[in-house]
Amino acid sequence: MSFVDAALAPPRKTGQIKLHNAEAFAAMRRAGRLVAECLDMLIGEVAPGVPTEKIDRLVYDYAMDHGALPATLMYRGYRKSTCTSINHVVCHGIPNEKPMREGDIVNIDVTLILDGWHGDSSRMYAVGEIPRRAERLIDVTYEAMMRGIAAIKPGGATGDIGAAIQSYVEAQHMSVVRDFCGHGLGRLFHDEPNIVHVGRAGEGTALRPGMFFTVEPMINLGRPHVKVLSDGWTAVTRDRSLSAQFEHTVGVTDKGVEIFTTSPKGLHKPPYTG
Ligand code: MF3
Ligand code: CO
Ligand code: CO
């Protein structure tokens, strides 16, 4: 993999990894914070009887009110402002009119474009009271993401992230989805490199200051295998086991890593109250 000064690179996928400057970090802090505030706003809105379509509308309105655009809207034929993935849906669930039900767990994934820069983050939400095994899955998935992020430092490699996630998750007797990965982003939504959530330390792409990417592990209670439904988007576990995901957008710094999408209110994972 070769690297290029992002300020000089064309705004498309070029096969080179873009390295960003201090101005770009400042722009990503703004985009990331907006996404985090949007995810904070949704906490009071997830409840039994509420359709995911309503969540989608709230995110659309939030983007409009804050001078941002939902990146997923009209992206590769996708027509919604969020992905809402319930229970055995791994990712890319399409918001619809079906009411959420007590005991469901839902991932809400929001990507906003602010002043041309992408912030991409998702969290899990509990619909009312949820089963103990769902709580465990959510806790393990959040911890997996944070261990992956903690492994990031300049001079390291993308395999350090995957190794940290995989070793932790498999020790909890859960599994890491292979079919979807994190991704470089910035002025683009999905750029090089891929961030695979399994692997071996030291392998993969070198980590350098100025890289922006997401860490977004999908963790299953059962086996890791997924299939995509006939709508072309919705990915589900083949064994119909529960799946969870968290996602942060991060930047590699001279000293380590900066998370752009941290909740300003400290609302990192459920339970979001008491
Ligand atoms: N936000 C998702 C991600 O984390 C991508 C969704 S693309 C869509 O990369 F088209 F499905 F919305
Ligand atoms: Co992403
Ligand atoms: Co996302």
Side-chain angles (χ1 to χ4, degrees), residues 84-93 103-108 122-126 130-131 133-142 169 174-180 197 216-227 234-246 270:
T84 50
S85 302
I86 296 177
N87 295 340
H88 71 297
V89 179
V90 172
C91 64
H92 302 165
D104 285 347
I105 59 170
V106 57
N107 174 277
I108 304 177
S122 78
R123 291 183 212 156
M124 296 303 298
Y125 298 79
I130 61 171
R133 69 200 161 82
E135 286 176 1
R136 271 241 318 135
L137 172 64
I138 289 171
D139 287 347
V140 168
T141 305
Y142 181 78
V169 168
M174 298 181 193
S175 67
V176 183
V177 170
R178 271 65 163 174
D179 301 67
F180 300 96
H197 302 109
E216 50 178 302
M218 283 140 271
I219 308 303
N220 299 346
L221 274 185
R223 297 183 38 87
H225 309 101
V226 313
K227 68 175 180 196
T234 311
V236 301
T237 54
R238 282 191 173 268
D239 63 8
R240 295 188 65 88
S241 67
L242 279 185
S243 187
Q245 180 180 27
F246 284 86

Side-chain angles (χ1 to χ4, degrees), residues 178-234:
R178 271 65 163 174
D179 301 67
F180 300 96
C181 42
H183 49 91
L185 79 174
R187 289 192 179 277
L188 292 187
F189 189 0
H190 292 111
D191 203 348
E192 279 94 17
N194 284 337
I195 304 297
V196 184
H197 302 109
V198 295
R200 295 192 213 207
E203 293 188 352
T205 303
L207 297 176
R208 293 236 214 140
M211 287 170 71
F212 295 160
F213 54 82
T214 69
V215 178
E216 50 178 302
M218 283 140 271
I219 308 303
N220 299 346
L221 274 185
R223 297 183 38 87
H225 309 101
V226 313
K227 68 175 180 196
V228 175
L229 301 186
S230 58
D231 60 25
W233 287 103
T234 311

Side-chain angles (χ1 to χ4, degrees), residues 33 48 50 54 81 107 113 120 145 161 173-174 185 191 197 199 204 212 216 224 251 255 271 274:
R33 168 177 272 262
V50 176
K54 179 177 179 205
S81 301
N107 174 277
I113 311 172
D120 185 5
M145 174 184 68
I161 303 167
H173 308 290
M174 298 181 193
L185 79 174
D191 203 348
H197 302 109
F212 295 160
E216 50 178 302
K255 294 214 173 76

Side-chain angles (χ1 to χ4, degrees), residues 71-73 75-76 78 80 82-83 92 109-111 120-121 181 183 189-190 214 216 233 245 247:
T72 56
L73 203 54
Y75 178 79
R76 298 185 181 201
Y78 196 80
K80 299 288 175 179
T82 58
C83 296
H92 302 165
D109 191 336
V110 173
T111 311
D120 185 5
S121 184
C181 42
H183 49 91
F189 189 0
H190 292 111
T214 69
E216 50 178 302
W233 287 103
Q245 180 180 27
E247 176 176 24

Side-chain angles (χ1 to χ4, degrees), residues 10-46:
R12 55 181 164 80
K13 263 186 138 174
T14 62
Q16 289 184 301
I17 293 171
K18 297 175 183 72
L19 300 179
H20 296 87
N21 62 22
E23 264 176 77
F25 270 81
M28 289 297 278
R29 272 175 214 129
R30 290 190 287 270
R33 168 177 272 262
L34 189 65
V35 172
E37 288 169 346
C38 182
L39 292 175
D40 286 355
M41 174 276 292
L42 292 175
I43 286 166
E45 306 290 342
V46 175

